[in-house]
Amino acid sequence: KQEVTQIPAALSVPEGENLVLNCSFTDSAIYNLQWFRQDPGKGLTSLLLIQSSQREQTSGRLNASLDKSSGRSTLYIAASQPGDSATYLCAVDLAGNQFYFGTGTSLTVIP
Amino acid sequence: DVKVTQSSRYLVKRTGEKVFLECVQDMDHENMFWYRQDPGLGLRLIYFSYDVKMKEKGDIPEGYSVSREKKERFSLILESASTNQTSMYLCASNTGTGSFEQYFGPGTRLTVT
């Protein structure tokens, strides 16, 4: 069974710092990988989706990379802001309808 | 923009009650999902539907059933609510082709007392 791990579980950084969140998965036969943001008590908001044939995707200050062979993805956040404080989850998709989620990294950006 | 809505943001029910959670999506997506989210356990799939009246069990279907009578609507039913079903319930949908990007609703925080 696919296992998805996110380390660290929590991260605290000063405003303006660049940071990297990590996601690792055990089965490299994935269809795509998706990064989400979740604010407390809310649903998940899609940030970036990387298909298995892609190496990275960018949206504004966010950049996500995918290395299928090593079972790793990173989410890079540039020039962090207090509004970036949230929990970030990654999910791998095996077949378009089989999603496995990590338990997330809780990010706090200190003003 | 894709929109997934859930019928309630917060719900409090008593043990033994029958509970209905509803989810509606407006993008004509084929696939719809129900997850529950618990601290330390992450999101776990309860049921998945790939078409009207079609469903598949996820990882934790016990104590739950689902209904999909129309393409845009997917209901989760707790036949007899128990305290261990207190959780955040999240509905999601995606198209059955293309990127399979998942879109989530705002969640329903269910408390069973």
Side-chain angles (χ1 to χ4, degrees):
Chain A
K1 182 184 171 183
Q2 178 76 264
E3 291 190 9
V4 182
T5 304
Q6 292 185 250
I7 295 174
L11 183 63
S12 185
V13 301
E15 181 177 1
E17 193 161 296
N18 302 326
L19 59 102
V20 174
L21 306 180
N22 297 295
C23 173
S24 61
F25 47 94
T26 53
D27 185 345
S28 62
I30 65 170
Y31 193 84
N32 65 39
L33 184 145
Q34 197 168 355
W35 281 94
F36 295 90
R37 169 190 173 129
Q38 186 176 31
D39 293 291
K42 302 284 180 67
L44 278 65
T45 300
S46 178
L47 297 173
L48 288 165
L49 179 142
I50 311 176
Q51 298 198 12
S52 63
S53 59
Q54 298 173 323
R55 297 280 296 183
E56 64 179 306
Q57 282 285 340
T58 298
S59 176
R61 294 183 294 109
L62 306 180
N63 176 276
S65 68
L66 174 64
D67 183 344
K68 274 181 36 177
S69 60
S70 66
R72 303 178 94 148
S73 175
T74 61
L75 178 67
Y76 174 84
I77 303 177
S80 58
Q81 303 170 358
D84 294 332
S85 298
T87 296
Y88 291 81
L89 296 103
C90 68
V92 297
D93 173 15
L94 296 188
N97 56 28
Q98 292 182 37
F99 295 88
Y100 294 88
F101 289 81
T103 51
T105 294
S106 176
L107 173 65
T108 302
V109 181
I110 304 164
Chain B
D1 271 359
V2 176
K3 194 164 185 183
V4 181
T5 57
Q6 296 184 227
S7 50
S8 305
R9 290 285 287 119
Y10 300 95
L11 211 50
V12 180
K13 295 292 182 181
R14 295 195 179 275
T15 302
E17 279 193 79
K18 191 168 186 175
V19 181
F20 294 87
L21 303 181
E22 292 210 318
C23 174
V24 177
Q25 50 90 9
D26 66 357
M27 283 302 290
D28 202 36
H29 282 169
E30 290 81 5
N31 297 335
M32 297 187 75
F33 308 81
W34 274 108
Y35 296 93
R36 65 177 280 178
Q37 185 179 31
D38 300 288
L41 297 177
L43 274 81
R44 293 178 291 168
L45 181 65
I46 304 171
Y47 268 99
F48 151 64
S49 170
Y50 54 92
D51 202 349
V52 174
K53 297 190 186 295
M54 305 306 288
K55 62 186 179 186
E56 295 223 358
K57 292 180 180 179
D59 297 321
I60 51 165
E62 297 78 19
Y64 303 94
S65 61
V66 290
S67 171
R68 193 167 179 200
E69 297 296 320
K70 293 185 177 181
K71 190 175 185 180
E72 67 271 18
R73 189 179 299 268
F74 191 34
S75 300
L76 179 69
I77 303 153
L78 285 67
E79 298 291 343
S80 176
S82 64
T83 55
N84 63 13
Q85 292 178 310
T86 292
S87 187
M88 170 69 109
Y89 289 87
L90 293 161
C91 174
S93 72
N94 70 359
T95 179
T97 58
S99 71
F100 298 103
E101 184 171 2
Q102 273 206 310
Y103 296 90
F104 279 81
T108 296
R109 170 71 64 183
L110 173 67
T111 302
V112 182
T113 61

